Amino acid sequence: MSTLLSVSIALLVGLLMTRVFKPLKLPSVTAYLIAGVLIGPYCMGKLGIEGLGFSTHGAVEALSLISEVALGFIAFSIGNEFRLSDLKKTGRQALIIGVFQALVATLFVDLALFVLHLMMPDKISVAQLITLGAIATATAPAATLMVVRQYKAKGPLTDLLLPIVALDDAVGLIVFAVSFGIAKTIGTGNVEIVSVIVNPIVEIVCSLGLGAIMGWLLTLLEKMFNSNTNRLNMTIAFVFLTASLSMLDFHAGPVHISFSSLLVCMMLGTVFCNICPLSHDIMERTDKWTSPLFALFFVVSGAELELGVFADMAVVVVGIVYIIFRSLGKYFGAYASAKFARCEPNICKYLGITLLPQAGVALGMCATAMQLGDQGNLIRNITLFAVLIYELFGPLLTRQALISAGDIKPMSDEVKMRRQTKLEMAKNK
């Protein structure tokens, strides 16, 4: 009962918070995250009233299934952006920018933290700074997708943004695996070629392969039904199934075989939308079904934010340096590569700002970094600090960038008049 009560309270508080922040014109994502902080362990959770907020981080982690399912649907929706007809126009640009901006962010963070290491060698080690540089590649697809949906963003920048955010996962996996392998080598002195090179390649290939197979199977099964309701139910069931299969983890000799749930579900959506003639209609229906799930996901994400990291001054200093130089790397990396790819001036100017949000993938990376023992604690705390800042301010910056680029259009006078008329008619009744 307490879990169900917590879920309902989380969703209600999140929805009410969007009304509170509506006069400030903040994105709904930010309102959901703040709602999560309010009902989390550091605010309402301290009251100790069962069901009214989350009293411990363990209570929040009990809802981790919601996060897994939501991320699966987010990746599935982003896969819809990889339609071959659209990729013919933006595919080359997305690939160039997606790879280059991630590598530049890593380089900026590595150099900045190395200077900090020379100044304070007792606060941050070389192994830690290399690992944090790799984590800097990751961009959160969830916040970006929610802002795009809420404001119905449409235009050249949005068309390029979503494929780039999806590519970040693949690029980040490779960069992190190589960097983390080097970091472990520095600590132990043993070079593990399998973990540095083989494992990340296997993970990416297996993830894309599993997603492609599931996308093909989903298309075959959709043909068995004539009802749109049944087709929607089949799609939802398949995303659940694919997300669960992506949690498989085993060894084949020295090789570690695992899957990235984001890549698997993204590939599911990509194959499905390209080979199923009914995919466009089904995707639209799926997006409507997932709206409350995404809202709950962000409220739970807000409750997971670790406010205790502010108590350690060393974490705050390193965290600020990390945030500043990752942001600079993302912005200038996107700007330079967009120029090289001959993108429109508005894309060059604003794309980097939309790539700042960071959450799920980065947290997964820092969980792996805990293998460094005591050194992993600093990496975890800095990542949590950065996620807290980026998740609260990233969606707002993304919204402003999309408005400035012209992808989010202001509400027309005709639409405003129509809404006002409906409100007045409802009051008169």
Side-chain angles (χ1 to χ4, degrees):
M1 178 181 173
S2 61
T3 301
L4 187 58
L5 182 60
S6 295
V7 168
S8 60
I9 292 294
L11 189 54
L12 286 170
V13 172
L15 292 171
L16 291 173
M17 194 58 66
T18 61
R19 299 303 90 191
V20 173
F21 283 99
K22 188 176 181 180
L24 299 178
K25 297 183 178 180
L26 291 177
S28 294
V29 177
T30 305
Y32 292 141
L33 289 164
I34 293 174
V37 172
L38 291 177
I39 65 172
Y42 292 94
C43 295
M44 288 174 63
K46 281 190 173 294
L47 298 175
I49 302 174
E50 190 175 356
L52 186 62
F54 303 99
S55 56
T56 65
H57 281 287
V60 184
E61 289 171 3
L63 300 179
S64 59
L65 180 62
I66 292 172
S67 298
E68 292 291 340
V69 172
L71 285 172
F73 278 100
I74 287 164
F76 180 67
S77 297
I78 290 177
N80 190 41
E81 303 301 321
F82 283 90
R83 292 181 181 270
L84 292 178
S85 56
D86 297 331
L87 286 179
K88 288 176 182 177
K89 303 175 186 175
T90 62
R92 174 180 165 275
Q93 293 175 332
L95 181 62
I96 292 171
I97 299 169
V99 173
F100 191 77
Q101 55 83 24
L103 296 178
V104 172
T106 296
L107 180 62
F108 271 47
V109 172
D110 279 345
L111 291 175
L113 293 182
F114 183 71
V115 172
L116 201 63
H117 163 71
L118 295 177
M119 297 168 60
M120 302 185 300
D122 58 322
K123 295 296 183 183
I124 183 168
S125 67
V126 174
Q128 288 171 325
L129 71 88
I130 290 174
T131 305
L132 284 167
I135 293 174
T137 59
T139 298
T144 304
L145 181 65
M146 280 290 286
V147 172
V148 168
R149 279 190 183 177
Q150 180 186 349
Y151 295 101
K152 296 179 175 59
K154 189 175 182 181
L157 178 56
T158 304
D159 292 341
L160 197 55
L161 170 61
L162 293 176
I164 289 173
V165 169
L167 281 170
D168 249 15
D169 193 21
V171 177
L173 281 173
I174 296 173
V175 173
F176 180 77
V178 173
S179 298
F180 188 60
I182 294 170
K184 286 199 295 184
T185 300
I186 292 172
T188 62
N190 298 321
V191 180
E192 298 180 5
I193 299 298
V194 172
S195 64
V196 174
I197 299 175
V198 178
N199 284 343
I201 294 175
V202 168
E203 180 173 344
I204 291 170
V205 171
C206 288
S207 297
L208 296 178
L210 176 60
I213 292 170
M214 297 301 287
W216 175 71
L217 286 174
L218 174 58
T219 302
L220 286 181
L221 292 173
E222 293 286 9
K223 295 176 182 178
M224 297 172 60
F225 301 95
N226 295 319
S227 164
N228 284 332
T229 301
N230 286 334
R231 287 171 179 160
L232 174 62
N233 293 340
M234 175 61 70
T235 304
I236 292 169
F238 241 76
V239 176
F240 272 87
L241 177 60
T242 305
S244 64
L245 290 176
S246 68
M247 296 179 190
L248 292 173
D249 193 315
F250 54 93
H251 285 81
V255 179
H256 178 214
I257 298 178
S258 60
F259 302 88
S260 163
S261 61
L262 283 174
L263 277 182
V264 174
C265 293
M266 183 190 73
M267 194 62 179
L268 168 69
T270 300
V271 172
F272 176 65
C273 76
N274 279 290
I275 67 174
C276 180
L278 305 167
S279 63
H280 192 274
D281 184 53
I282 294 172
M283 283 286 193
E284 284 187 351
R285 291 172 180 271
T286 305
D287 289 346
K288 292 177 182 177
W289 181 88
T290 55
S291 179
L293 177 65
F294 288 176
L296 186 58
F297 165 72
F298 283 106
V299 175
V300 172
S301 297
E304 287 177 331
L305 294 177
E306 178 63 74
L307 303 186
V309 295
F310 288 110
D312 189 340
M313 202 58 202
V315 170
V316 173
V317 171
V318 179
I320 290 172
V321 172
Y322 171 88
I323 290 169
I324 290 173
F325 282 89
R326 177 185 177 270
S327 302
L328 291 174
K330 286 285 182 181
Y331 182 81
F332 288 109
Y335 182 87
S337 54
K339 279 278 189 184
F340 177 79
R342 297 179 180 177
C343 295
E344 297 177 13
N346 271 353
I347 293 177
C348 299
K349 188 174 181 180
Y350 298 111
L351 178 60
I353 299 172
T354 64
L355 298 173
L356 296 183
Q358 187 174 47
V361 178
L363 293 175
M365 290 176 177
C366 79
T368 303
M370 293 302 290
Q371 295 175 21
L372 292 175
D374 291 339
Q375 293 193 72
N377 291 327
L378 178 68
I379 295 171
R380 177 182 178 276
N381 288 337
I382 290 169
T383 305
L384 289 170
F385 177 85
V387 165
L388 173 63
I389 302 301
Y390 278 127
E391 283 296 270
L392 291 177
F393 297 101
L396 178 60
L397 293 172
T398 298
R399 170 183 170 272
Q400 290 302 122
L402 290 171
I403 289 174
S404 300
D407 282 31
I408 294 178
K409 305 290 191 300
M411 193 183 297
S412 66
D413 292 337
E414 183 182 346
V415 174
K416 288 180 181 177
M417 184 71 70
R418 198 182 305 142
R419 288 192 176 184
Q420 186 63 34
T421 303
K422 285 183 179 179
L423 284 172
E424 288 175 358
M425 289 175 64
K427 287 179 181 178
N428 292 333
K429 286 181 180 179

